[in-house]
Amino acid sequence: MSSKDKIKGLLFDLDGVLVDTAVYHYKAWLRLAKTMGFTFSELQNEELKGISRMDSLDKVLAWGNVQKSTEEKLALATQKNDWYVEMINKMTPAEVLPGALNFLQQAKQAGYKMALGSASKNSATILKNTNLAHFFDAIVDGNSVSKSKPDPEVFLKGAQELALQPQQCVVFEDAEAGIIAAKRGGMKAIGIGDKNILKQADKVVAGLGQLSVKNLEEL
């Protein structure tokens, strides 16, 4: 491997990789759905992982067969976010996923540059409350990108912020849309979760606790 292709940067999705905020998203979307007279399952909720708030709302409304104007949609998305923020404001470092802290510490010590690449517009709050912010050289989230995964924008911007080429970066993702985004951006991808779903990843593990920085040299 030439030095220009050597992995130097790590790009992390947030929800489901470093912390599990999916449960809070689910509770907030479900509460919103109930105000409109319907519910949806946890399995359906899987489809909302890694996509933007407005795209998520469109899916939820479609499940309930509910039509809303653009103005109403914005109000609903704001309401959902208010409920979600209420919950994440109570998060603590105890909610960091098993093995994530150790992996971040190892990677920092080994000299890897690290960026967050998340659709979440609340990533700064979550990183602050879970005491993870200091690990990241750059944060690219829903506030700084306009396109949702599987578009690679969030990861390409992350690589740019780290002053690296896409092929020098590896993405850590729990959603299929995120793995596709990484591959479209010309990056390696490590899937966190089910290998039957994250088929396009270069490697799949159940959690960051199953990885060491040595594994990055094998990609």
Side-chain angles (χ1 to χ4, degrees):
M1 187 190 289
S2 69
S3 69
K4 75 173 170 49
D5 290 343
K6 192 173 183 289
I7 298 295
K8 293 179 180 170
L10 313 182
L11 305 174
F12 294 86
D13 176 44
L14 180 61
D15 302 346
V17 174
L18 300 174
V19 295
D20 187 10
T21 52
V23 61
Y24 301 130
H25 280 297
Y26 179 51
K27 283 179 177 173
W29 282 124
L30 195 59
R31 187 172 168 187
L32 193 74
K34 284 176 177 171
T35 65
M36 294 180 278
F38 68 94
T39 66
F40 61 91
S41 69
E42 283 189 57
L43 191 64
Q44 284 171 297
N45 186 61
E46 288 292 309
E47 292 179 39
L48 306 182
K49 284 188 175 175
I51 65 172
S52 72
R53 194 182 303 161
M54 296 312 289
D55 288 347
S56 295
L57 178 61
D58 285 337
K59 275 185 179 284
V60 172
L61 292 174
W63 293 332
N65 206 10
V66 173
Q67 308 285 322
K68 294 286 179 187
S69 68
T70 306
E71 211 168 286
E72 288 170 322
K73 280 185 187 179
L74 286 171
L76 287 168
T78 301
Q79 176 63 85
K80 179 265 168 183
N81 190 53
D82 289 347
W83 287 332
Y84 173 69
V85 169
E86 220 171 84
M87 290 185 273
I88 61 166
N89 273 333
K90 295 172 187 155
M91 285 181 82
T92 70
E95 290 182 75
V96 174
L97 286 170
L101 186 63
N102 187 36
F103 185 78
L104 290 171
Q105 285 166 338
Q106 272 188 47
K108 197 80 173 163
Q109 273 177 327
Y112 285 98
K113 289 183 174 182
M114 292 190 270
L116 192 77
S118 167
S120 171
K121 289 192 173 185
N122 300 292
S123 59
T125 304
I126 296 166
L127 290 178
K128 180 171 157 282
N129 289 350
T130 54
N131 202 19
L132 294 179
H134 63 285
F135 285 108
F136 296 96
D137 303 293
I139 290 173
V140 182
D141 62 14
N143 297 302
S144 48
V145 294
S146 57
K147 298 179 187 121
S148 258
K149 302 166 191 174
D151 189 283
E153 182 189 19
V154 69
F155 296 135
L156 290 173
K157 206 160 185 176
Q160 204 179 347
E161 295 265 339
L162 297 179
L164 295 172
Q165 294 301 313
Q167 70 269 23
Q168 295 176 308
C169 297
V170 60
V171 166
F172 298 81
E173 257 289 352
D174 73 319
E176 189 183 17
I179 299 290
I180 295 167
K183 301 311 269 181
R184 283 184 186 170
M187 302 173 188
K188 298 279 187 195
I190 293 181
I192 307 291
D194 184 341
K195 60 176 178 289
N196 297 315
I197 296 170
L198 308 173
K199 297 188 274 286
Q200 295 189 41
D202 296 284
K203 183 179 181 70
V204 180
V205 291
L208 287 173
Q210 295 187 339
L211 281 178
S212 79
V213 289
K214 281 200 173 70
N215 296 128
L216 301 176
E217 291 156 25
E218 298 154 13
L219 287 171

